[in-house]
Amino acid sequence: MNIAQSGYQMLMILSVVDGEYSIGEGKIIVDYLTKNYDLDIDIDNENNVLLEVSKEKIPDHFKKAAADFLSHSNEEQRLDFIAFAYRLTQADGRMAAEENKILNSLAHFWQIDIRPLMDEEVVKTDLNL
């Protein structure tokens, strides 16, 4: 997977893990990836790939996407991505336990301290979902 594909897949997994998904979330994800990675991806194909992953294989799929993103990105891109992912999970006003678990696992895997993101003063971004 290239950086946009892996980013899309990780963000989509994060956006559905709480059991709620809005079309607005998908649009925000695509806009973010287009703006930051300027790579064309076939969204329908990426969605089909995700639909083919069984529920029990989602953690492994996420980890592969995270590894692919890691191999194609620099530290600044990873910091920006995880900050965006955090804001995305906060857009509905709360963070589900599964979202928290995934973000913490991703931060640990990428060796990023996400505690500064947890500071409400740092994260005051309205994603307009």
Side-chain angles (χ1 to χ4, degrees):
M1 284 184 269
N2 67 37
I3 194 170
Q5 291 169 312
S6 56
Y8 180 79
Q9 293 198 16
M10 286 188 292
L11 291 171
M12 287 303 292
I13 289 169
L14 269 170
S15 72
V16 300
V17 74
D18 65 354
E20 298 176 21
Y21 174 75
S22 74
I23 302 241
E25 284 177 298
K27 182 180 179 335
I28 288 168
I29 289 168
V30 171
D31 289 347
Y32 168 79
L33 293 170
T34 301
K35 178 180 142 193
N36 289 285
Y37 305 108
D38 196 33
L39 296 172
D40 289 325
I41 60 174
D42 182 341
I43 298 300
D44 290 333
N45 183 59
E46 297 308 313
N47 287 335
N48 285 333
V49 167
L50 285 168
L51 288 171
E52 291 175 6
V53 178
S54 64
K55 187 174 182 175
E56 54 276 347
K57 297 277 186 186
I58 291 288
D60 291 335
H61 186 80
F62 189 92
K63 188 171 183 176
K64 179 176 180 346
D68 288 347
F69 194 97
L70 178 64
S71 70
H72 296 293
S73 64
N74 60 41
E75 183 179 15
E76 183 179 332
Q77 289 171 314
R78 290 187 296 276
L79 289 169
D80 181 68
F81 180 89
I82 208 159
F84 175 79
Y86 180 79
R87 290 190 306 270
L88 184 67
T89 62
Q90 291 293 301
D92 62 0
R94 63 177 178 77
M95 181 183 291
E98 279 300 312
E99 292 171 327
N100 187 38
K101 180 180 174 183
I102 291 170
L103 276 177
N104 279 303
S105 294
L106 181 61
H108 182 340
F109 183 65
W110 285 352
Q111 299 180 344
I112 293 174
D113 180 7
I114 63 170
R115 285 177 292 181
L117 292 175
M118 304 298 182
D119 180 358
E120 290 185 82
E121 293 301 315
V122 174
V123 183
K124 287 193 173 181
T125 302
D126 179 12
L127 294 176
N128 297 318
L129 296 178

